[in-house]
Amino acid sequence: QVQLVESGGGLVQPGGSLRLSCVASGSIFRTKTMGWYRQAPGKQRDLVATITSMATSITTYADSVKGRFTISRDNAKNTVYLQMNSLKPEDTAVYYCSARDPWSVTVGYWGQGTQVTVSS
């Protein structure tokens, strides 16, 4: 069974930065496509960014975060990161780490979520 544990959320002022981390258990990490999603109150869960396996490390981003957020992974540490810069109030949400097989569109594993609040 795979477990994903996020950390790094918190309260930050507009224009500030945060780095989220997600540690994955198990030996499957390096083959999985990892991702970050977010869900604001009363809204659906939306994709923020994905990164393919270490062999290719192809990244994709939602238009709303391009140029501000960076996803990366460290296979030696079984960890995926989301560096968030120039944060805006509309980035406020619970952020979830995800893992899926590269041939699937369905997320197989979710983390418990970490709250990010951007407010002055």
Side-chain angles (χ1 to χ4, degrees):
Q1 186 171 351
V2 175
Q3 287 189 322
L4 303 175
V5 179
E6 302 103 331
S7 61
L11 173 64
V12 63
Q13 292 186 343
S17 298
L18 281 175
R19 188 176 79 156
L20 305 183
S21 300
C22 171
V23 180
S25 65
S27 61
I28 53 84
F29 175 78
R30 63 182 62 242
T31 66
K32 298 295 187 185
T33 293
M34 304 299 295
W36 288 95
Y37 287 72
R38 66 186 182 187
Q39 187 168 19
K43 296 188 177 181
Q44 66 181 19
R45 189 174 297 187
D46 291 327
L47 178 65
V48 175
T50 63
I51 185 167
T52 57
S53 68
M54 195 65 180
T56 53
S57 290
I58 298 170
T59 59
T60 62
Y61 297 93
D63 287 343
S64 59
V65 306
K66 281 181 181 176
R68 300 188 298 123
F69 290 12
T70 302
I71 188 171
S72 61
R73 65 190 296 161
D74 185 339
N75 273 9
K77 296 181 178 180
N78 273 19
T79 301
V80 62
Y81 303 98
L82 185 68
Q83 177 66 45
M84 305 185 293
N85 299 327
S86 302
L87 283 161
K88 306 175 181 179
E90 51 263 43
D91 294 318
T92 296
V94 178
Y95 283 70
Y96 296 92
C97 179
S98 69
R100 63 173 173 83
D101 291 317
W103 57 85
S104 174
V105 297
T106 302
V107 171
Y109 306 97
W110 292 100
Q112 83 286 354
T114 185
Q115 177 71 46
V116 171
T117 302
V118 184
S119 175
S120 56

